[in-house]
Amino acid sequence: MCTGGEPRVTVVLAVYNRARDLPMAIASVFAQTTPAWNLVVVDDGSTDGSGEIARRYLWDPRVRVLSLGENEGLGNALQATLPHVRTPYFVTLDSDDWFAPTALAELTAAMDEGPADAVVASANAQHWREDSGRLMRDHVLRGRAFSDKFDVFRYGPYLVPRFYRTEAVLRVGGFERDPHGQGRYYEDKLILLKLAAIGRFLHVDRVLYHVRLHAANLTRPEERARLNAIKKAMYERMMREWGDPYEIVWKTHPEGWLDVADLVPRESAGAQDRRTH
């Protein structure tokens, strides 16, 4: 089988009980306009046969399947795949989402042609809502480029796809089991903040990713307070690691999510001394 040369990117797909949706996600990888990819599927303790479905694709030498003994959470599952990523770039794919056919080619080109300190590339995402078993086109989430790490810090929406420079992710320690989210919550936000401190983010202004909206990926209202507390602690930790130059002003959206409203520069010690004398 012709694989189109040495792979430049690894698709990392963590799955937990998504047997129904997984074939569509994997099919979108096989449908890429470039065949120069690897695919690592990690079965995060599924009990619905998701792992067995993934193993059906092992006939292709580009595919590898890992199995975790029990459910560890998305961030921990992604961390488990990193020793198996041997390409300059990797991109994550949620098991209920799918790529546009040119996603890998366009994102690889953006990173190859971009500045040497580019660590992440993203694009725009078409959302689809399930209605009586049918997928109905919903809104498009448009990403953007960022001026610096504090611009990333202020940004509320999620970035997809998340196309990483492998070396950079390893340099910042990967997807850690942090004390707040335990590698289960906001693993995407945490790795992006860590990467924002060392390099630039690129944006391809095209729809290269498709997001499936359904009841299973909508967080219950009673969970929001706990998740908001995890996000707040995580962001405050990162600001401290950056030297605590700003006070974080928080806002709550009508639907109950906590987000960064503003960053207010802290007064210097000298200015505070002058006020007290």
Side-chain angles (χ1 to χ4, degrees), residues 58-92:
L58 288 175
W59 58 266
D60 191 309
R62 296 172 296 179
V63 178
R64 181 161 190 172
V65 178
L66 310 176
S67 296
L68 303 183
E70 58 186 32
N71 180 251
E72 297 283 348
L74 181 54
N76 299 312
L78 294 177
Q79 182 68 7
T81 68
L82 289 184
H84 305 278
V85 174
R86 301 183 178 92
T87 51
Y89 309 120
F90 74 93
V91 58
T92 56

